Amino acid sequence: MNLLRTLFTGFMLIFVVNICIGQNIINLEGRVTNSSGQAVELAHIRNTQLNTGVITDKNGNYLIAISANETTKIQVSCVGYITKEISINPKSRFTNPLNIELQVFISDIG
């Protein structure tokens, strides 16, 4: 139930941002997986420019608003994985959907 509420809030935020900013926003979508190709559920996708974020669903899918005019940095994180930061320039060619592979965090605690 909490997951559904969070997803709903994320999608509503994207909707509101699209209305407020108009044509200056595009939707970026994709899937987050681990190095074995398995979906990473509940990964956090954060747009550092708009200070917005969403989480992936049980299949690792996400949808987040990014600027259509400026380079945007997104951070992808999840417990047990190394955080990844990706720069996206919408004026150059980039893949949409953008599929992201996270690497497992291995701690050397002895």
Side-chain angles (χ1 to χ4, degrees):
M1 185 66 171
N2 210 8
L3 173 61
L4 291 175
R5 182 178 298 138
T6 304
L7 285 173
F8 177 77
T9 302
F11 287 121
M12 288 305 296
L13 181 60
I14 290 170
F15 179 72
V16 170
V17 169
N18 276 325
I19 289 173
C20 293
I21 300 177
Q23 298 298 324
N24 295 327
I25 296 293
I26 57 175
N27 287 323
L28 177 68
E29 61 183 318
R31 184 168 186 247
V32 179
T33 58
N34 61 23
S35 57
S36 300
Q38 297 173 322
V40 177
E41 183 179 1
L42 302 176
H44 184 243
I45 315 294
R46 181 173 172 258
N47 180 333
T48 60
Q49 179 187 17
L50 296 176
N51 201 25
T52 58
V54 297
I55 60 169
T56 58
D57 64 14
K58 68 178 182 176
N59 297 313
N61 298 315
Y62 70 91
L63 174 70
I64 190 166
I66 64 170
S67 171
N69 300 320
E70 301 176 12
T71 298
T72 300
K73 287 186 182 178
I74 62 169
Q75 290 179 337
V76 184
S77 60
C78 189
V79 174
Y81 293 91
I82 299 170
T83 298
K84 187 176 246 185
E85 186 168 284
I86 302 168
S87 292
I88 301 165
N89 182 350
K91 294 182 180 182
S92 67
R93 292 187 179 257
F94 71 95
T95 304
N96 195 8
L98 178 64
N99 296 322
I100 301 164
E101 182 180 301
L102 292 181
Q103 302 297 318
V104 174
F105 177 76
I106 299 174
S107 176
D108 189 21
I109 298 177

